[in-house]
Structure formats: structure tokens, C-alpha cells
């Protein structure tokens, strides 16, 4: 039995998602793994309101693109959309990994300044603190927009 049989790949609207999806697909091909794609439709909370940061149609397009790419690689893939505040993204990813019984979580890192990171930790760092599942950060590629 291979190490990675169930891979969760988290995607967001950034161009880096394509590298995470490609890497998850390549690993799935090597191990004949099943892949679940998660996209969290994030909202930001202010004192007066909760503001969606993405339209439902945009979120569905991000998810559909990832599923198409994986299926084009011959990978068995399914996807899910989850709603949450920006502060809940890491928890949503970790909970989905647990529900899916993922052996591996593939994420794309977001590069920010050290000052920004003090006030808003990276999702990848936060996911690592919410799960015991192995995490792989996909490197940035040259084909990003």
C-alpha cells in the first residue's frame, strides 16, 4: 500500500493554485490516490457587516478548473466548496482533511512581508497547527499569472 492514498488539495483564487493542483495530480498518479479539492469561499467580518471576498460563481469556477485539471491527468477527483470567515480558512481545511481521512494536504504558499505575517499568519502555517496530516507546500511556478 502506498503512503498517500487520499490527497486533499486546497485552492484559492491566486494563480499559485495551479501548481498545487498539478503537484497533487502528479502525486496521485504515482500512488493511484484519490483527490479531494477544497475551496473556501472566504468572507471578512467588520464591525458592521460580513463581506464576501468572492462571488459564488467565481468560487465555483476555481473549483471546476481544479477538478478538470485533475481529471485530465486521469486522477479520481471530487470537490467541495465551504464558506467561512478569513479567520476560519485553516480550520475548514483541517476539518475537511479529517473528514476525508487525507494522508496529505497540498497547499500553495503565499509570500508576504514578515510584518504582514505577524498580524495575519499564513494559511499553511495555521493548517499545520490544526492537523496531524502531512502538508506539502507546492512551489511557485513560472506559468503563474
Amino acid at each position: 500500500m502506498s503512503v498517500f492514498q487520499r490527497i486533499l488539495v486546497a485552492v484559492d483564487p491566486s494563480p499559485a493554485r495551479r501548481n498545487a493542483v498539478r503537484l497533487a495530480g502528479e502525486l496521485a498518479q504515482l500512488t493511484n490516490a484519490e483527490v479531494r479539492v477544497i475551496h473556501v469561499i472566504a468572507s471578512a467580518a467588520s464591525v458592521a457587516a460580513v463581506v464576501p471576498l468572492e462571488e459564488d460563481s467565481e468560487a465555483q469556477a476555481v473549483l471546476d478548473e481544479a477538478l478538470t485539471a485533475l481529471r485530465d491527468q486521469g486522477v479520481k477527483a471530487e470537490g467541495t466548496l465551504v464558506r467561512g470567515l478569513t479567520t476560519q480558512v485553516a480550520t475548514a481545511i483541517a476539518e475537511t482533511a479529517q473528514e476525508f481521512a487525507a494522508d496529505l494536504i497540498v497547499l500553495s504558499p503565499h509570500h508576504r512581508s514578515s510584518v504582514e505575517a505577524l498580524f495575519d499568519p499564513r494559511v499553511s502555517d495555521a493548517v499545520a497547527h490544526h492537523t496531524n496530516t502531512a502538508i506539502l507546500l507546492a512551489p511557485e511556478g513560472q506559468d503563474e499569472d
Side-chain angles (χ1 to χ4, degrees):
M1 182 177 206
S2 294
V3 175
F4 302 123
Q5 291 297 302
R6 299 173 72 78
I7 300 171
L8 179 74
V9 59
V11 295
D12 64 16
S14 75
R17 74 182 181 274
R18 293 181 184 101
N19 295 314
V21 169
R22 183 173 30 259
L23 183 57
E26 290 170 358
L27 287 170
Q29 287 175 319
L30 291 172
T31 64
N32 199 29
E34 181 179 341
V35 176
R36 179 172 293 173
V37 180
I38 179 175
H39 178 54
V40 181
I41 306 171
S43 296
S46 70
V47 175
V50 174
V51 180
L53 300 177
E54 184 177 24
E55 296 293 324
D56 287 356
S57 60
E58 295 168 329
Q60 189 65 53
V62 167
L63 182 65
D64 290 346
E65 176 192 74
L67 290 172
T68 297
L70 289 164
R71 290 173 182 155
D72 285 351
Q73 288 179 283
V75 173
K76 180 180 177 188
E78 60 182 44
T80 187
L81 292 172
V82 177
R83 292 185 187 284
L85 295 173
T86 55
T87 57
Q88 299 169 324
V89 171
T91 303
I93 293 169
E95 287 174 355
T96 301
Q98 183 177 3
E99 291 166 12
F100 181 58
D103 318 289
L104 179 68
I105 301 170
V106 179
L107 302 165
S108 56
H110 292 266
H111 297 284
R112 298 167 311 169
S113 72
S114 56
V115 173
E116 288 174 310
L118 283 175
F119 295 103
D120 185 21
R122 296 173 197 243
V123 169
S124 56
D125 292 341
V127 171
H129 291 288
H130 283 90
T131 186
N132 290 324
T133 305
I135 296 174
L136 178 62
L137 297 180
E140 291 186 69
Q142 297 176 353
D143 66 335
E144 292 180 13
D145 301 351

